[in-house]
Amino acid sequence: MANQIGTLYGIGVGPGDPELVPVKAMKILKRVHVVFAASSTKNQHSLAVNIARAYIPDETSIKLLSFPMTQNMEVKHKAWNQNARMVIEILEQGQDAAFITVGDSMTYSTFGYLLQSVQGLAPHITVKSIPGITSYQAAAARLNTPLVEGEQSMLVTSGCNGGNQLRQHTGNAETVVLLKAYRNVSDIVSAFEENDLAYDCVGISRCGQPGEEVLPDIKEIARRKPDYWTLIIAKQRNGHGMQSES
Ligand SMILES: C[S@@+](CC[C@H](N)C(=O)[O-])C[C@H]1O[C@@H](n2cnc3c(N)ncnc32)[C@H](O)[C@@H]1O
């Protein structure tokens, strides 16, 4: 008899504190045969694995997949399909697998790329996505600062290309969240300054993780050359001040 095909779970393990891993995710991690995660571009380390480590049984196989950080779409697609084939091979042996990712699995996550490739190459496979607490939800909680209230709007965008997204889209949103605010922070600062955007900004690095830092001065954020795990929350000055004590 042919093997039953396993299920792929895309799991968001939250921003860093293992106690913020969803109960549903914990239960799935205890019973899947294989756990996949993206490896760091620099070494064979995975923050998602560190966060979820306590919930992965010792006998479970952990496999790291590489997602190249390049603008070359051909290279990216090749790597995504290669990763998807490795996952599909496990599932077609009748084993269940989880792909774990920091924060939420549907928010700027490598799981999105894997999902797209698995669905393209093997549409018969069942995929279940388990949401996680995003980094910026955790940061807002850390600062005791509501993200949005009443009729307010929020822009969640990438700071990868500095202030470009900010220049294009900011204006009407009372709250702006910039993820990937690590490489071009000085241009993010310029974008806030050049448009005289009346926002209070707070940067958070490694929220809920060892080495967490809260930086209420956006210029100081730029001076520090923050690491990859950094985001900025900016709120329009409208009387609802940002709680920025560290
Ligand atoms: C590829 S995105 C992943 C987003 C993630 N899926 C989420 O739901 O928050 C990576 C960016 O998320 C942000 N990030 C993730 N975890 C973080 C943390 N613990 N503290 C601060 N920023 C974090 C950083 O801006 C980082 O550059």
Side-chain angles (χ1 to χ4, degrees):
M1 201 174 78
N3 278 329
Q4 248 192 331
I5 295 172
T7 297
L8 172 63
Y9 296 92
I11 294 180
V13 296
D17 179 349
E19 293 193 0
L20 293 181
V21 173
V23 174
K24 195 167 190 134
M26 274 168 47
K27 289 183 178 170
I28 294 168
L29 288 173
K30 280 203 177 3
R31 65 176 172 72
V32 294
H33 303 91
V34 182
V35 171
F36 291 96
S39 60
S40 153
T41 47
K42 294 185 191 134
N43 50 43
Q44 284 294 297
H45 167 89
S46 158
L47 179 59
V49 171
N50 280 6
I51 295 169
R53 186 67 261 191
Y55 311 118
I56 305 173
D58 289 343
E59 60 276 17
T60 304
S61 164
I62 298 175
K63 294 180 191 289
L64 297 185
L65 303 176
S66 140
F67 289 80
M69 282 213 189
T70 164
Q71 296 305 313
N72 184 327
M73 286 313 289
E74 206 182 313
V75 173
K76 280 191 189 185
H77 279 292
K78 203 170 154 201
W80 296 348
N81 282 339
Q82 207 172 328
N83 290 338
R85 278 189 212 99
M86 281 178 66
V87 173
I88 292 165
E89 195 184 321
I90 297 290
L91 301 169
E92 289 190 333
Q93 288 165 8
Q95 301 192 316
D96 288 332
F99 181 91
I100 58 174
T101 181
V102 174
D104 174 50
S105 51
M106 291 289 146
T107 306
Y108 290 127
S109 168
T110 40
F111 179 63
Y113 308 135
L114 182 70
L115 175 65
Q116 184 187 321
S117 295
V118 167
Q119 287 179 330
L121 294 170
H124 56 286
I125 277 171
T126 304
V127 184
K128 292 187 181 171
S129 301
I130 312 299
I133 294 171
T134 65
S135 50
Y136 60 88
Q137 289 170 314
R142 169 69 182 82
L143 299 170
N144 285 326
T145 294
L147 286 168
V148 269
E149 294 173 301
E151 303 311 307
Q152 294 179 341
S153 311
M154 177 166 76
L155 169 71
V156 179
T157 189
S158 162
C160 226
N161 293 324
N164 285 357
Q165 299 294 92
L166 214 53
R167 291 183 182 97
Q168 277 180 39
H169 302 294
T170 319
N172 298 321
E174 283 84 359
T175 304
V176 178
V177 170
L178 281 149
L179 298 190
K180 309 184 206 181
Y182 64 107
R183 219 174 11 202
N184 294 308
V185 192
S186 35
D187 191 52
I188 294 173
V189 175
S190 304
F192 274 113
E193 284 176 349
E194 70 207 33
N195 292 315
D196 207 13
L197 295 172
Y199 284 86
D200 289 320
C201 303
V202 175
I204 299 206
S205 287
R206 299 191 166 263
C207 181
Q209 300 167 19
E212 176 188 275
E213 271 192 303
V214 176
L215 299 166
D217 174 359
I218 192 170
K219 289 195 175 137
E220 178 61 18
I221 304 171
R223 270 195 296 275
R224 292 279 190 103
K225 296 196 174 31
D227 81 356
Y228 177 75
W229 301 106
T230 302
L231 63 84
I232 293 171
I233 297 182
K235 292 202 72 175
Q236 256 178 15
R237 285 182 208 120
N238 57 6
H240 299 280
M242 180 95 81
Q243 304 290 308
S244 60
E245 97 291 353
S246 55

